[in-house]
Amino acid sequence: MVQDQLTTPPGEAAATGSTGGADLSLVSVTKRFTDFTAVDGLDLTIPAGSFFALLGPSGCGKTTTLRMVAGLEQPTSGKITIGGRDITGTSAHERPVNTVFQNYALFPHMSVLDNVAFGLKRRRVRGAEEQAKAALELVELGHLAARRPGQLSGGQQQRVALARAVVNRPAVLLLDEPLGALDMKLRRQMQVELKKIQTEVGLTFVHVTHDQEEAMTMADTVAVMNGGKVEQMGAPRDLYELPRTAFVANFLGKSNLIAGTVAEDRGDAVVVDAGGHRLAVRKDRAAVHQGPVLVGIRPEKLTMLWPADAPAPEANLLHGRVLDTSFTGVSTEYLVQVPGVGTLGVFCQNHGQQPARPGDDVVLAWDTGHAFGLGGDQDSTAGAAGEDGP
Amino acid sequence: MNVLAAPAKPAGGPGAAEKAGGKTLQRRRGRTGYLLILPGFIFMLLFFVLPVFSLLATSLYTKPPGADIGQFAPALEFGNYAVVLGSYWPELLRSFAFALVATAAALLIGYPMAYLVAVRLRGRKLLQGILLVLIIAPFFTSFILRTQAWKQILADEGPVVPVLRALSLLPADGRLTATAFAVVCGLTYNFLPFMTLPIYANLERLDTRLIEAGSDLYASGFTTFRTVTLPLSMPGVIAGTLLTFIPASGDYVNAALLGNNRDTTMIGQVIDSRFFRVVDYPGAAALSFILMLAILVLVTAYVRRFGTKELI
Amino acid sequence: MRKTIGRWLVPVFGGLAFIFLLVPIGYVFAFSFNDAGRTNLSWRGFTLENWLNPCGAPAVCEALGNSLQIGAAATVMATILGTAIAIGLVRYRFRFNATANMLIFLPLATPEVVLGASLLAQFLNIGAELGMGTIIIAHTMFCISFVVVTVKARVASLDPKLEEAAADLYASPLQAFWRVTFPLLLPGIVAAALLAFAMSFDDFIITNFNSGNVDTFPKFIYVAATRGIPAQANVIGSAMFLIALAIVIGGQVLSHRRSKLLAAR
């Protein structure tokens, strides 16, 4: 019985490996634990060969989703299919899926080579050692094959874990915060390398992370998860430029969200009244066209002007006073207090202009095409760093 | 095979599933778990729990008139308890008194040993390793051989007594063996590793920076010890005192080898001789049961008073 | 001045404590070379005779043989049963978890006399004949708790992610156990087995209650103590000490090397 199950994956892998992985789809998958719902009616289709990122704060259900795909957890309800085959209910060792674990979970009592060959050997693949050696070459660790994992650096262990998963040519490769344990510099380097390897082997990668920068750098498609549900899914640029919820707006980068009410419909745009200020938002960039609304604008999209240089009052203009400044090198970040609106963040590139000082009166302006409108019934701080962040 | 091949479905708690770090325990439900613990627990049930009830039952037996030696009839003779308590309360009290003094002495000796190895020699791995082996070394030689060795060392014709007599530290007819002092020394000696090891295990995890911070704030070494080190090592001290007191109070090898038959008899000796010499099974069982209950009460009170959960 | 005293107090006092701990062992060792004759009470001269002929005294080697057999049997049983319990308790959830832990802890918190007496009461009540069998059962019983406590610590320190990784890499639960879990638990299991053997080999009180006419090594010495212990007993005691010392030192060296190799994370 065990043998039968074990021979399934290689066939699967051989069939799918050449075509670059297989579609993974989750159909209304729910995972309930005794006292809370980790994943709530999740629908997700990940096309073959893509680099997909599940992004969200800790506790959002992304790791549980990954574990259900791996077979380490079983969904309470719903269906998971790979390449059209229903794998719901099968055990982890029966699935054509491999995982790069968060802390690598390398077997400390085996050599690096034995670690990489482990999956092949369990499936009784011929020439397991040679394939394992080739996989180690792929991650440029061929010379460390005889070492124990404990003798390797964090970055090297990470690559072994990757080789150990990739060597099996799984239909789907899962990465659970694979770079979380590395320091910043190594992390950036590994991001590039991971992306390169994914292109080389052409497998479907599903990457779980709480690091929005990491998700945006590497993935073709990012799904932002919150409270067991996908808030928004799309290409990284689309998500960033046009978030659809306050959570996404705050979790991906920073956003100034200004609460107001739609006061006027101008055909292709709505005008929002916010504390007496009139702000225009294009209709195709607004989630709602009437009633309460949150007007969003990214700090780097704001231009800070001296009152004397301000254009005609019809444009999106806010008068305020600088509260605080912090110099970060490439840019200066300002906090500007705008009466009736609140405190807004502004990033200014250092072009060598004269910096504003706390207490200075300034005017904030922006291009209408950069603003976005969100439903006004949301908490404008949802997903903001420090509140829900990792 | 079939059962093991069909695994218990992993169902970690929400925390387990979402926690970063990966060291969180995934506790599963399922048949495999029961299959693992059942054989051992059936064994413990048959040869630990059931015997305790057997002991209780035996302690209530009566000797029917005219019965042979060793023949008893099942009954509910609670009078057995009154009889043995009436006869042997001095031995019971003495056992606890000896065990208490021995525990205190073992603490006084064992704590500095543990402190020396765990704190003073921190970082000197080799020396620590050697001393740790020396602490458990007594376990490698027979407990009775070592006790017998003490008996011979402390004997009247041994090397110690004549010296003490010559120095007038002992009266001319003074002895060391066959005294309560010898029994307590033997108990202290025999259970010293049980005291030292838990304290060592506790002190070894102690952050020495806390001691440095303490000496920075209080300056005096003893104040630092009293206010910082000692409170932090309490779980080890409590485990050590329990591991010493419990076996010491039931021990009779030390009393038998190092004591005399008049004023050092401990409760273990009485139970042994009730069973095997007097062949009074109900009396012996009743005494055993009293000893067990008394220890349970004392230990519970002690743990309540100095509360700790880190016992196991 | 006070500071200097404080600095020297601990090493001096600790050192004296170590001497106190080791004197009887040295004594046992020294008197194994005593040309003792029948009673090994006072020093009569150096001889290697006892070491060359350790079975010279009547019955001593028979008792030793019994102890070794009992130790081996009880160790095997307690290690298997206890390891299974330890894995089960750490890795699985039970409704009666607290009770289960209590059942393991209680024998450790019960004086040996009570354990011995209650088992004897049980054996008397069911009319079992006392002998090797009853000693092995008794020893297995008190050794299980030690094995569980020792192995539990090891299981708890084992990253459950490793088993998940094995399952993720196509290992069936059985394969995952034998290829990943078991090899990583092995040092803990070996330590537990050695501890169990040591406890069994040195046990006197529980054995005395449940052994009937069978002599074990500690029982032999206890009985012989009234007449005088033959020097051969010291030889065996010293030899056991040296063997145990070699095992512990060997184990330390091995685990030191291993931990260097396994220093993951």
Side-chain angles (χ1 to χ4, degrees):
Chain A
M1 182 192 106
V2 177
Q3 256 70 40
D4 275 352
Q5 290 164 351
L6 280 175
T7 48
T8 335
E12 186 82 27
T16 54
S18 50
T19 61
D23 284 0
L24 166 69
S25 78
L26 285 80
V27 183
S28 54
V29 168
T30 296
K31 178 67 185 180
R32 230 171 267 123
F33 292 109
T34 29
D35 49 355
F36 97 131
T37 305
V39 176
D40 193 1
L42 188 70
D43 284 299
L44 212 58
T45 299
I46 298 167
S50 63
F51 199 129
F52 189 93
L54 275 175
L55 172 68
S58 52
C60 75
K62 57 187 195 300
T63 298
T64 307
T65 307
L66 195 83
R67 290 172 62 82
M68 285 192 289
V69 175
L72 299 169
E73 303 273 357
Q74 293 294 343
T76 313
S77 65
K79 200 171 77 163
I80 300 171
T81 67
I82 290 178
R85 192 166 73 99
D86 188 353
I87 57 161
T88 326
T90 59
S91 302
H93 68 283
E94 301 162 345
R95 298 188 181 194
V97 172
N98 290 110
T99 310
V100 176
F101 288 86
Q102 188 168 22
N103 287 316
Y104 321 132
L106 298 177
F107 305 126
H109 59 303
M110 296 181 195
S111 72
V112 165
L113 186 68
D114 287 341
N115 262 281
V116 178
F118 189 87
L120 298 172
K121 284 186 177 165
R122 298 289 78 70
R123 285 161 36 204
R124 300 174 198 280
V125 171
R126 254 171 242 255
E129 302 251 319
E130 285 67 41
Q131 287 190 40
K133 277 179 190 152
L136 277 175
E137 291 300 336
L138 179 74
V139 296
E140 293 163 9
L141 286 179
H143 59 294
L144 297 178
R147 296 268 184 97
R148 296 290 181 109
Q151 298 167 294
L152 305 186
S153 71
Q156 289 170 332
Q157 291 186 28
Q158 208 280 330
R159 288 180 215 209
V160 174
L162 182 66
R164 187 175 71 169
V166 166
V167 73
N168 299 293
R169 301 272 147 183
V172 177
L173 190 116
L174 306 174
L175 301 114
D176 184 7
E177 304 263 9
L179 309 177
L182 303 181
D183 64 54
M184 192 59 98
K185 213 171 167 185
L186 202 51
R187 210 143 128 184
R188 296 285 170 254
Q189 187 190 329
M190 281 306 295
Q191 285 173 6
V192 177
E193 242 174 90
L194 256 181
K195 182 75 194 165
K196 193 189 97 204
I197 288 170
Q198 193 259 342
T199 322
E200 264 176 58
V201 298
L203 297 173
T204 311
F205 273 39
V206 179
H207 179 189
V208 153
T209 180
H210 65 263
D211 181 341
Q212 39 111 359
E213 213 172 311
E214 189 175 299
M216 291 201 281
T217 319
M218 301 191 344
D220 314 322
T221 312
V222 175
V224 181
M225 280 189 79
N226 182 31
K229 291 185 162 146
V230 170
E231 287 260 338
Q232 193 178 347
M233 195 167 104
R237 180 174 291 274
D238 298 346
L239 289 186
Y240 185 80
E241 297 298 350
L242 191 53
R244 283 304 183 188
T245 66
F247 180 85
V248 175
N250 288 323
F251 194 74
L252 273 187
K254 286 182 179 170
S255 287
N256 295 305
L257 295 180
I258 304 162
T261 318
V262 173
E264 186 187 329
D265 191 329
R266 282 192 192 159
D268 63 340
V270 288
V271 175
V272 177
D273 177 273
H277 304 278
R278 292 170 74 80
L279 317 171
V281 181
R282 265 167 39 191
K283 273 191 175 170
D284 60 341
R285 293 182 59 85
V288 293
H289 296 162
Q290 55 190 358
V293 70
L294 287 175
V295 177
I297 178 81
R298 297 281 187 190
E300 75 278 9
K301 302 281 166 37
L302 287 170
T303 313
M304 202 164 79
L305 304 161
W306 298 114
D309 306 332
E314 281 88 298
N316 294 321
L317 284 182
L318 292 172
H319 289 263
R321 178 166 292 169
V322 175
L323 284 182
D324 191 22
T325 76
S326 53
F327 178 71
T328 65
V330 288
S331 65
T332 306
E333 305 186 12
Y334 295 96
L335 282 180
V336 178
Q337 170 74 42
V338 178
V341 168
T343 308
L344 303 184
V346 184
F347 295 170
C348 290
Q349 287 283 316
N350 283 334
H351 297 308
Q353 72 275 42
Q354 188 201 343
R357 278 190 296 267
D360 287 351
D361 286 320
V362 293
V363 174
L364 303 177
W366 63 93
D367 187 324
T368 307
H370 284 151
F372 52 88
L374 308 171
D377 52 349
Q378 310 174 61
D379 174 9
S380 65
T381 60
E387 181 235 3
D388 218 359
Chain B
M1 172 70 202
N2 226 339
V3 177
L4 281 166
K9 294 291 173 232
E18 286 291 341
K19 277 242 175 71
K23 280 249 172 175
T24 357
L25 272 181
Q26 309 281 328
R27 286 204 167 177
R28 296 167 283 192
R29 292 176 198 282
R31 272 182 307 174
T32 318
Y34 286 96
L35 285 175
L36 281 171
I37 67 165
L38 223 53
F41 275 101
I42 290 173
F43 192 96
M44 293 305 274
L45 223 57
L46 285 179
F47 300 113
F48 172 64
V49 179
L50 227 56
V52 171
F53 286 102
S54 243
L55 185 73
L56 179 63
T58 306
S59 71
L60 302 172
Y61 284 3
T62 56
K63 190 178 177 86
D68 279 350
I69 288 174
Q71 275 192 338
F72 298 93
L76 286 176
E77 185 51 68
F78 289 96
N80 291 340
Y81 282 83
V83 172
V84 292
L85 262 184
S87 317
Y88 297 110
W89 64 268
E91 281 81 1
L92 195 64
L93 283 185
R94 183 183 295 134
S95 294
F96 288 132
F98 281 7
L100 197 69
V101 177
T103 305
L107 180 62
L108 278 178
I109 300 169
Y111 201 106
M113 280 172 92
Y115 188 85
L116 176 68
V117 181
V119 181
R120 283 293 177 86
L121 298 176
R122 183 163 300 187
R124 300 172 71 174
K125 283 268 180 263
L126 184 68
L127 196 56
Q128 268 190 324
I130 291 171
L131 291 180
L132 207 56
V133 169
L134 290 183
I135 292 178
I136 57 170
F139 290 138
F140 304 159
T141 338
S142 172
F143 155 56
I144 296 175
L145 268 182
R146 282 181 287 122
T147 311
Q148 180 66 20
W150 273 125
K151 182 180 177 177
Q152 287 172 218
I153 292 167
L154 302 178
D156 296 349
E157 61 274 17
V160 183
V161 170
V163 176
L164 290 180
R165 279 180 187 162
L167 293 172
S168 300
L169 289 169
L170 208 65
D173 59 344
R175 324 182 51 188
L176 288 175
T177 41
T179 59
F181 175 77
V183 176
V184 171
C185 280
L187 289 171
T188 307
Y189 170 77
N190 271 311
F191 298 105
L192 185 55
F194 293 97
M195 176 66 83
T196 313
L197 285 176
I199 299 177
Y200 167 80
N202 196 283
L203 285 175
E204 204 235 336
R205 281 177 294 161
L206 184 77
D207 190 346
T208 38
R209 282 172 301 179
L210 291 175
I211 301 178
E212 281 161 20
S215 47
D216 194 45
L217 292 169
Y218 302 113
S220 141
F222 183 72
T223 314
T224 307
F225 175 77
R226 193 172 50 79
T227 50
V228 182
T229 317
L230 190 59
L232 285 171
S233 59
M234 267 322 261
V237 171
I238 288 174
T241 45
L242 287 178
L243 285 175
T244 306
F245 180 80
I246 295 170
S249 56
D251 179 78
Y252 61 85
V253 173
N254 287 285
L257 292 180
L258 299 171
N260 55 46
N261 280 325
R262 285 167 288 110
D263 50 10
T264 65
T265 311
M266 289 176 72
I267 197 70
Q269 280 167 290
V270 178
I271 294 172
D272 182 76
S273 76
R274 284 275 114 190
F275 258 118
F276 296 110
R277 297 211 189 133
V278 188
V279 198
D280 167 24
Y281 298 154
L287 274 176
S288 308
F289 216 76
I290 291 168
L291 174 63
M292 187 175 76
L293 285 182
I295 285 181
L296 220 61
V297 168
L298 286 174
V299 166
T300 313
Y302 177 68
V303 174
R304 282 265 167 82
R305 170 69 182 78
F306 295 99
T308 172
K309 283 178 182 169
E310 285 184 59
L311 278 181
I312 328 175
Chain C
M1 184 62 202
R2 265 187 68 184
K3 267 219 140 122
T4 348
I5 293 174
R7 184 166 307 162
W8 288 104
L9 203 62
V10 171
V12 167
F13 200 71
L16 286 175
F18 273 103
I19 292 171
F20 175 57
L21 206 54
L22 298 176
V23 158
I25 299 172
Y27 184 92
V28 169
F29 202 75
F31 273 69
S32 72
F33 295 104
N34 189 13
D35 189 4
R38 280 200 59 80
T39 56
N40 193 8
L41 283 176
S42 52
W43 187 255
R44 297 196 185 164
F46 181 86
T47 178
L48 286 174
E49 179 55 31
N50 309 319
W51 280 84
L52 295 172
N53 190 12
C55 293
V60 62
C61 275
E62 190 194 330
L64 174 68
N66 287 341
S67 272
L68 291 174
Q69 280 178 48
I70 293 162
T75 300
V76 169
M77 281 168 58
T79 306
I80 293 173
L81 295 173
T83 301
I85 292 179
I87 295 174
L89 282 183
V90 178
R91 283 299 163 82
Y92 292 87
R93 277 192 292 189
F94 301 99
R95 242 174 293 166
F96 51 90
N97 226 320
T99 325
N101 278 316
M102 203 63 196
L103 191 59
I104 295 304
F105 178 67
L106 269 180
L108 297 175
T110 311
E112 283 189 71
V113 209
V114 177
L115 290 178
S118 55
L119 258 175
L120 175 61
Q122 168 94 332
F123 289 141
L124 288 174
N125 282 337
I126 62 174
E129 197 180 323
L130 299 179
M132 291 289 277
T134 50
I135 305 176
I136 292 172
I137 287 175
H139 285 201
T140 305
M141 186 270 293
F142 73 80
C143 286
I144 283 181
S145 293
F146 286 103
V147 173
V148 173
V149 171
T150 313
V151 179
K152 238 174 106 177
R154 187 88 197 177
V155 181
S157 72
L158 186 70
D159 187 351
K161 280 260 181 340
L162 292 175
E163 283 163 52
E164 295 190 349
D168 186 66
L169 293 165
Y170 314 108
S172 67
L174 209 58
Q175 289 174 321
F177 178 79
W178 286 114
R179 296 200 175 264
V180 176
T181 316
F182 183 73
L184 290 171
L185 289 184
L186 197 58
I189 296 173
V190 170
L194 289 174
L195 180 66
F197 186 85
M199 296 310 256
S200 163
F201 188 83
D202 200 21
D203 178 75
F204 169 70
I205 295 181
I206 296 177
T207 311
N208 194 34
F209 274 89
N210 296 287
S211 56
N213 294 321
V214 174
D215 258 3
T216 62
F217 185 60
K219 195 176 159 193
F220 170 84
I221 306 167
Y222 185 79
V223 175
T226 44
R227 296 174 267 122
I229 296 168
Q232 281 82 356
N234 288 39
V235 171
I236 291 169
S238 306
M240 290 303 289
F241 175 79
L242 293 177
I243 292 170
L245 202 64
I247 291 175
V248 167
I249 290 172
Q252 288 271 355
V253 171
L254 214 72
S255 81
H256 183 66
R257 275 207 208 135
R258 226 181 118 93
S259 69
K260 261 191 179 167
L261 279 178
L262 302 189
R265 268 164 261 142

